[in-house]
Amino acid sequence: MPDVREAAKLLENAARVVVFTGAGISAESGVPTFRDALTGLWERYDAQSLATPQAFRDDPELVWGWYEWRRLKVSSVRPNPGHLAVAAVEARIRDTTVITQNVDDLHERAGSKNPVHLHGSLFAPRCSECGASADPPAEEDEPGEGRRMPPPPCVRCKGLIRPGVVWFGEALPETALEAAARAVSDCDVLLTIGTSGLVYPAAEIPRLAARAGAAVVQVNPQPTPMDSVALVNLRGSAARVLPELVNLAWPDAMSET
Ligand code: OAD
């Protein structure tokens, strides 16, 4: 694939890199992408009607059960070579920022130091009343797929603990947005991996980087609205293309992870 050689050259010569990821990078770990997330019993629900503050107010046990099911599904799978390749880039280029839309912890478990979670995390529940952070429940509470679960009470104010993710209609975490804006304003290369580029403001990130002069490289088996923004479009899966890209930029980089 000649394009991957061009992308490897860009990466090898970069001093500042941003890696922007979406659900596609976790697909090969067995985590359904967001819009396919409702597999099994969840098919009768529309994800976007579960991921809203109103849905939690109307039926906290249904929403908490769905997110607990997703959290424990993520805990039962492993990072794939795509996540490991991202960690290999961070090991080679000190000034690398990973910005993810994903709420799983697979980047962290692959060795990424401090990914910016634009849409929060399944592993950072908090009180829906006072905002106090809470620990995820003990693993033995694994919910059956599609089972309601009562959210635990906040130890501080007894309010209901909610998932620490961004719901539709909610603002993205300020600190995450600021960190992302800072990183994309001054990077040489932005890799956009496994995102449909449909949900704003996150989808703005590759465009901001391109406008600031960065070379954008996209990895996705499907065409997306980012095709016109990317300098190089690598049509393929993250778990196959990213290790090839990283090994071309730095031979044997993947063998060190
Ligand atoms: P989507 O499910 O919208 O898109 C997943 C993308 O990954 C698609 O473009 C697929 O073609 C691509 N893909 C699938 N398998 C892949 C693979 N093996 N390797 C590489 N790419 C692959 O997920 P996101 O773009 O992440 O927001 O969705 C963005 C946001 O929309 C989510 O964070 C969520 C959702 O609403 C919130 O929850 C706030």
Side-chain angles (χ1 to χ4, degrees):
M1 185 194 280
D3 289 350
V4 72
R5 291 193 182 288
E6 183 186 352
K9 212 84 206 112
L10 290 165
L11 199 51
E12 194 185 343
N13 298 323
R16 291 174 303 281
V17 171
V18 169
V19 182
F20 175 59
T21 65
I25 197 169
S26 297
E28 283 152 297
S29 291
V31 180
T33 57
F34 189 82
R35 286 168 179 75
D36 319 331
L38 300 180
T39 52
L41 288 177
W42 293 100
E43 276 171 352
R44 63 179 184 278
Y45 297 100
D46 164 12
Q48 303 201 359
S49 65
L50 277 168
T52 66
Q54 190 58 48
F56 186 73
R57 277 191 294 275
D58 293 349
D59 194 340
E61 297 200 3
L62 175 70
V63 174
W64 181 257
W66 187 55
Y67 279 94
E68 275 301 281
W69 171 69
R70 288 178 67 188
R71 181 175 70 82
L72 291 155
K73 183 165 182 64
V74 163
S75 302
S76 70
V77 302
R78 298 171 51 75
N80 66 60
H83 297 105
L84 294 171
V86 170
V89 172
E90 292 175 78
R92 292 294 173 134
I93 300 183
R94 199 177 45 76
D95 190 346
T96 297
T97 306
V98 176
I99 302 170
T100 187
Q101 301 169 87
N102 299 340
V103 293
D104 63 48
D105 64 344
L106 295 174
H107 279 304
E108 290 87 340
R109 286 163 55 196
S112 286
K113 299 282 166 294
N114 183 20
V116 176
H117 279 273
L118 285 180
H119 293 161
S121 168
L122 291 169
F123 296 86
R126 66 172 189 276
C127 176
S128 57
E129 301 292 334
C130 72
S133 57
D135 295 328
E139 299 298 306
E140 63 271 7
D141 268 0
E142 168 145 2
E145 194 175 330
R147 207 190 88 202
R148 282 183 158 71
M149 276 188 83
C154 169
V155 292
R156 209 165 71 178
C157 76
K158 301 293 171 247
L160 292 183
I161 296 298
R162 56 159 282 179
V165 301
V166 174
W167 279 330
F168 289 98
E170 291 186 319
L172 274 59
E174 261 314 301
T175 41
L177 269 178
E178 282 160 11
R182 222 178 7 261
V184 296
S185 68
D186 180 24
C187 68
D188 306 310
V189 171
L190 178 135
L191 303 179
T192 174
I193 303 159
T195 181
S196 57
L198 296 174
V199 173
Y200 284 81
E204 195 59 32
I205 284 185
R207 286 183 176 76
L208 289 172
R211 272 205 287 274
V216 174
V217 174
Q218 178 174 224
V219 177
N220 196 317
Q222 305 292 332
T224 76
M226 298 297 152
D227 284 18
S228 54
V229 176
L231 185 65
V232 183
N233 272 302
L234 303 178
R235 283 273 178 271
S237 77
R240 185 182 62 73
V241 171
L242 285 176
E244 187 185 344
L245 171 61
V246 166
N247 274 329
L248 273 175
W250 305 287
D252 302 331
M254 285 301 289
S255 55
E256 291 155 19
T257 51

